Amino acid sequence: KKHFDQYPVMYFKSFTRGASGLARPDFFNWEEHIRKLARSHGPDVIVLMLGTNDCQNMEYEQRVLKFASAEWDREYARRIWKILDICREKNPHSLIFWLGAPPMQNQKLNAGVEHVNQIAQMVCQDTTNCWYIETWNHFANSRGKFTDKAINPDGHIVDIRADDGVHLTLTGAQLLTGVTLES
């Protein structure tokens, strides 16, 4: 938000909900919440970042779909398409940017996040005025693996990830903002 304060003609609305995603609408219903936001604001530009918490089985029509199975992939893609449709209910010309999740320290979670990112990227490629923004390499070392450090513009090594190996530090969030604005 701090970055956008320098543009007085822009209105910026931010919302986060930790430990949530599209796999568990019983915990937090993103469809419902995004519908309220989109109807209230009719945004011209929407930036979404979901998926880190979606590397799990999910319920669909009273069945449990195993994470990364063909059925899971189809249902997850459908949920992303639904979110994109909801984003455009008030303003059908909204531009949507979906930020891919960065690498994770835990290898199992890391592999899951890569899978979720692939589905989101595929959906964005098939959707008009929707762009997938790859964040992976900006938060990875030279081998494409998780790193919790980066070199800032002043040449100093800074922490970009929290100790949990999942969340971003404030500096990491600023890096993510820069990656988004450059895209």
Side-chain angles (χ1 to χ4, degrees):
K1 177 175 175 357
K2 186 169 121 180
H3 176 81
F4 295 104
D5 288 342
Q6 64 186 313
Y7 302 103
V9 296
M10 293 180 94
Y11 170 73
F12 179 80
K13 175 71 178 167
S14 174
F15 181 82
T16 62
R17 176 64 189 231
S20 68
L22 301 180
R24 292 280 316 274
D26 60 310
F27 172 73
F28 185 79
N29 190 324
W30 275 102
E31 288 182 17
E32 187 178 287
H33 193 77
I34 289 175
R35 180 171 281 115
K36 288 176 189 173
L37 286 170
R39 285 181 179 168
S40 296
H41 303 286
D44 294 318
V45 177
I46 300 162
V47 179
L48 298 165
M49 187 176 196
L50 295 164
T52 305
N53 292 301
D54 288 334
C55 307
Q56 60 183 292
N57 297 341
M58 66 180 157
E59 290 185 25
Y60 174 68
E61 294 184 346
Q62 299 178 345
R63 294 184 8 243
V64 175
L65 306 180
K66 185 176 188 255
F67 175 68
S69 68
E71 285 182 305
W72 190 98
D73 290 358
R74 280 190 298 276
E75 174 56 17
Y76 193 74
R78 187 199 67 77
R79 291 180 188 197
I80 293 174
W81 271 307
K82 180 73 174 172
I83 290 292
L84 300 178
D85 287 343
I86 290 168
C87 285
R88 293 188 169 135
E89 284 181 354
K90 187 168 183 179
N91 181 356
H93 304 291
S94 295
L95 306 177
I96 301 174
F97 297 88
W98 189 287
L99 304 179
M104 300 290 138
Q105 188 173 33
N106 175 285
Q107 290 305 307
K108 184 177 178 185
L109 178 57
N110 193 61
V113 165
E114 281 187 286
H115 186 79
V116 169
N117 281 349
Q118 289 170 356
I119 296 169
Q121 185 173 22
M122 181 266 312
V123 170
C124 288
Q125 287 172 343
D126 290 344
T127 306
T128 304
N129 292 327
C130 181
W131 294 271
Y132 179 84
I133 298 176
E134 182 62 63
T135 67
W136 197 272
N137 291 330
H138 299 278
F139 291 89
N141 63 23
S142 60
R143 297 174 316 215
K145 304 292 183 189
F146 173 89
T147 184
D148 59 353
K149 308 275 189 223
I151 299 175
N152 72 8
D154 298 329
H156 296 99
I157 296 174
V158 294
D159 292 325
I160 58 172
R161 302 299 284 273
D163 291 340
D164 64 6
V166 174
H167 295 91
L168 302 176
T169 63
L170 178 58
T171 303
Q174 291 167 340
L175 173 62
L176 181 64
T177 299
V179 168
T180 304
L181 293 174
E182 290 172 8
S183 297

